[in-house]
Amino acid sequence: MSQSGSYIRIDNVSRRYGSFKALDDVSLDIAKEEFIAILGPSGSGKSTLLRLIAGLDRPTEGRVHFEGKDVTELAPHKRGIGMVFQEFLLFPHRTVRENLAFPLRMRKEPKADVEERVEWVAGILSLSTMLDRYPSQLSGGQQQRVALGRGLVARPTLLLLDEPLANLDRELRQEMEIEIRRYQKQLGIPFIYVTHNQEEALSMSDRIAVINNGRLEALGERQAIYDYPETPFVARFVGKSSRFQGTVGPDGKVVRLARHNHEFALPTGSHLIAGDAVDIFVKNERFDIARKQDGGSGIPSTVVDVVLRGPFVEYVLETDRGDTVIAVKPKRNDAIPIQERVLLSWKPDDCHLFKAGT
Amino acid sequence: MNLHFTDAVIKWTLATFLVIVFAFLYMPIVHILFASLSTRPNFPYPLEFNLSSYVRLSTNTVYQSAFLNSLILASCTAVLSTAMGFLATVGVLRFGGKRALVYAIFFAAPLFVSEILLGISSMALYYLVFKLQGNMLTAIIANTVHCFSFCFLIMAAMLYKYDWRMNEAAIVCGASPLRSFVEVMLPITWPGIMGSLITAFVLSLNGLDISFYLLGATPTMPSVAWGALRYGVKPELYALLTLINLIVFVLIMGLLAAIRLKKKEA
């Protein structure tokens, strides 16, 4: 680890398998001490990107740089990285201690250092009491921590994480999300975290790179990715949202929904012009629901179900045209009962508009 | 009460059956052991304990060289066919793709070719094409061809469950491909490799047909035993066969112990 200029640079990288483009011209700069999530649906190419950074696969085009050095042709075992796999892949014939010591032994560290590093990593991951057990004697969460420890123990230049929490149950996952983020801040090396789970990406990372069909769809601060999606795909994939179709009215000032009798003002600064067909994305927590008896405008709907989620309430609504929409609201005492007639609307600035077909 | 009685009957019937099956399997082997320890090898009952046939064996150069030849033949075949079987398994499982099953079937199919046929045709072919006379080398090659399919099947069964990403996990930890093989893949899969080695060893140690047709003037255990049947069995042959059975027995016990040890680890 050098003091300055430690970063990862992925430069116009493509990977083809025959005629199939798994990755298509992806460029990405990762700063030192950054936690970046690579988010995408399965088959989007996000794991391919991770394997290219690890050196387990070679790009057909483009270069990969670590700390200013071109490592594109460098064998994976010489890259000085750590990696955590979804299936953990602990060595079943070795104890936890031996698993943790493995990367250090491979790097020919002196024996005293090996012991010291193993103790250190076992300490921060609370594994000290189970060093002499075999992986098969550990729970899923413990195995996960050993896998993480094996990735971190040898002072890697960066840590690659390939859906490391996918095999854990929900509660443990949320606990580990906080832990992993803490380790990253503590160690000050870049973590590159591949996931198809947008909640994980949002809760842990500094920046998110959204990958779809082998292309980089969006790259930005997590808050920006969430609040200002640049493409319809990002709007649909990050956060939970509903989609509507509509047209910009002849005056160029309102958007009229296609299937519902509702219109709202076109947000100021929009590039859309009169007559444009648009896709409208509204995040579930951005909906306004008003009882029909109170009047006002909106999509006439019926409350079909109310799901309690601790501090939040999920209203399952059915519009009069038969579409299902979920609206999330903070839990209050005046909850709207099932079967109540409501009007569904949103503020113009709370939705994302894209010209249809983009 | 009644139920207990029926249970007991079933239990004892099964136990008796098990004893009969084992007796059936092992009586001939034990008989040879008795014969080798007796001064009356043709009918060694009542039993004796007499080592004279072993003493005579120690001076019989034909049997000794046959034993040595068989040992060389079996060891070389075991190593060669296991190495090839391992490579074939890796090839089929990792790079076979959609046609993996087709490759696997063709690798295993020679199992169903009769050994005699393989022996004769190997002899004919090697002579015809390579002008090779029947000798130790051709015997090893022909035996390897035969054992390869067994080795392939044994190791395919073991490696089928192996997660190849385990090698990648070792490599990203900084292990070279060779080290990841030695430190991770080999220890995880070695019961399969050991099983393959032992099977190939025992098969080629005992296989008469292939060695018989190929060896010509070089005696091996099976061909000497075969000859002895025609020219009169000598008691030292019993001693030699007992020794061979003992070696095989020790090998199998070793394998069993190794598997036990591995289970304890897991």
Side-chain angles (χ1 to χ4, degrees), chain B residues 16-111:
Chain B
T16 315
F17 189 62
L18 189 71
V19 169
I20 291 171
V21 169
F22 275 144
F24 199 71
L25 278 173
Y26 285 95
M27 248 159 25
I29 295 171
V30 175
H31 174 74
I32 293 282
L33 170 71
F34 293 158
S36 74
L37 290 171
S38 174
T39 46
R40 298 162 280 109
N42 289 331
F43 192 78
Y45 307 100
L47 302 177
E48 284 179 62
F49 188 80
N50 183 310
L51 290 173
S52 63
S53 58
Y54 289 86
V55 175
R56 249 177 297 166
L57 176 66
S58 66
T59 56
N60 188 324
T61 50
V62 177
Y63 283 178
Q64 277 175 16
S65 72
F67 181 62
L68 202 68
N69 283 335
S70 275
L71 224 52
I72 294 170
L73 177 70
S75 315
C76 292
T77 305
V79 171
L80 209 60
S81 54
T82 297
M84 287 173 63
F86 185 83
L87 292 177
T89 311
V90 171
V92 167
L93 290 177
R94 275 211 88 172
F95 308 109
K98 278 183 231 154
R99 283 186 287 275
L101 188 65
V102 179
Y103 295 135
I105 287 172
F106 273 94
F107 275 137
L111 278 179

Side-chain angles (χ1 to χ4, degrees), chain A residues 51 85 87 93-94 105, chain B residues 163 165-166 168 172 175 183:
Chain A
R51 293 174 60 80
F85 297 85
E87 303 84 356
H93 58 297
R94 293 179 187 278
R105 271 182 45 230
Chain B
D163 189 342
R165 299 185 56 192
M166 209 54 104
E168 292 188 346
V172 294
E183 298 245 7

Side-chain angles (χ1 to χ4, degrees), chain A residues 51 54 56 76-77 81-83 85 87 89-94 102-103 105-107 134 136 150 162, chain B residues 163 165-166 168-177 179-180 182-185 187-188 262 264-266:
Chain A
R51 293 174 60 80
L56 295 170
H77 63 277
I81 54 169
M83 189 160 175
F85 297 85
E87 303 84 356
L89 299 178
L90 301 176
F91 307 131
H93 58 297
R94 293 179 187 278
F102 188 82
R105 271 182 45 230
M106 292 304 117
R107 276 155 215 184
Y134 285 93
S136 58
R150 195 178 61 180
D162 189 3
Chain B
D163 189 342
R165 299 185 56 192
M166 209 54 104
E168 292 188 346
I171 284 172
V172 294
C173 284
S176 66
R179 277 207 92 172
S180 87
V182 174
E183 298 245 7
V184 175
M185 189 171 179
I188 296 176
K262 188 158 174 71
K264 225 182 218 171
E265 263 178 29

Side-chain angles (χ1 to χ4, degrees), chain A residues 287-291 303 315 317 327-329 336 342-345:
Chain A
F287 283 115
D288 293 327
I289 319 172
R291 292 178 200 240
V303 177
Y315 291 103
L317 308 176
V328 178
K329 291 273 143 204
I336 303 169
V342 293
L343 291 170
L344 181 70
S345 62

Side-chain angles (χ1 to χ4, degrees), chain A residues 17-275:
Chain A
Y17 298 102
S19 61
F20 174 67
K21 271 192 173 177
L23 265 189
D24 189 4
D25 197 21
V26 170
S27 293
L28 196 59
D29 275 350
I30 298 161
K32 203 187 167 203
E33 307 192 358
E34 180 171 40
F35 197 131
I36 188 160
I38 298 175
L39 175 65
S42 58
S44 59
K46 58 188 191 303
S47 290
T48 306
L49 180 58
L50 199 71
R51 293 174 60 80
L52 289 178
I53 299 171
L56 295 170
D57 201 347
R58 299 270 165 93
T60 357
E61 283 154 46
R63 315 301 297 173
V64 178
H65 299 267
F66 285 6
E67 298 179 84
K69 267 191 313 225
D70 188 337
V71 295
T72 317
E73 308 296 330
L74 192 67
H77 63 277
K78 293 178 183 155
R79 292 194 180 193
I81 54 169
M83 189 160 175
V84 183
F85 297 85
Q86 181 180 343
E87 303 84 356
F88 310 149
L89 299 178
L90 301 176
F91 307 131
H93 58 297
R94 293 179 187 278
T95 61
V96 171
R97 186 191 303 278
E98 288 164 341
N99 265 284
L100 292 175
F102 188 82
L104 298 162
R105 271 182 45 230
M106 292 304 117
R107 276 155 215 184
K108 300 190 179 63
E109 307 244 352
K111 211 162 179 235
D113 288 7
V114 172
E115 271 167 38
E116 191 200 310
R117 287 297 287 179
V118 169
E119 293 299 327
W120 168 79
V121 84
I124 63 167
L125 290 164
S126 337
L127 291 167
S128 303
T129 55
M130 46 197 85
L131 280 175
D132 293 316
R133 291 199 213 160
Y134 285 93
S136 58
Q137 297 167 311
L138 303 181
S139 71
Q142 291 165 339
Q143 289 186 30
Q144 166 60 248
R145 292 214 297 279
V146 178
L148 204 57
R150 195 178 61 180
L152 290 173
V153 73
R155 298 184 183 84
T157 338
L158 76 161
L159 187 69
L160 303 167
L161 302 107
D162 189 3
E163 309 240 6
L165 304 182
N167 284 348
L168 300 182
D169 58 56
R170 194 186 167 81
E171 222 166 292
L172 201 55
R173 205 158 62 210
Q174 287 174 347
E175 211 172 285
M176 286 305 293
E177 280 173 12
I178 298 166
E179 293 282 291
I180 290 176
R181 189 168 163 76
R182 191 165 60 86
Y183 304 139
Q184 193 268 330
K185 296 293 162 229
Q186 200 173 330
L187 297 171
I189 58 167
F191 277 28
I192 304 178
Y193 189 100
V194 161
T195 180
H196 68 275
N197 182 331
Q198 47 101 15
E199 282 175 38
E200 274 176 27
L202 287 166
S203 61
M204 298 163 80
S205 60
D206 299 317
R207 281 197 304 162
I208 297 176
V210 184
I211 300 253
N212 185 32
N213 289 330
R215 300 193 66 98
L216 189 64
E217 280 268 341
L219 172 67
E221 304 285 323
R222 54 178 168 172
Q223 199 67 49
I225 291 277
Y226 188 83
D227 286 337
Y228 308 103
E230 289 164 32
T231 67
F233 176 80
V234 178
R236 198 171 57 233
F237 195 68
V238 181
K240 288 179 181 159
S241 58
S242 296
R243 189 178 76 142
F244 301 91
Q245 282 162 320
T247 334
V248 180
D251 57 357
K253 284 184 179 153
V254 294
V255 179
R256 191 164 291 142
L257 296 189
R259 282 171 57 81
H260 308 284
N261 183 21
H262 177 60
E263 59 180 42
F264 60 94
L266 186 67
T268 46
S270 169
H271 300 294
L272 296 162
I273 55 163

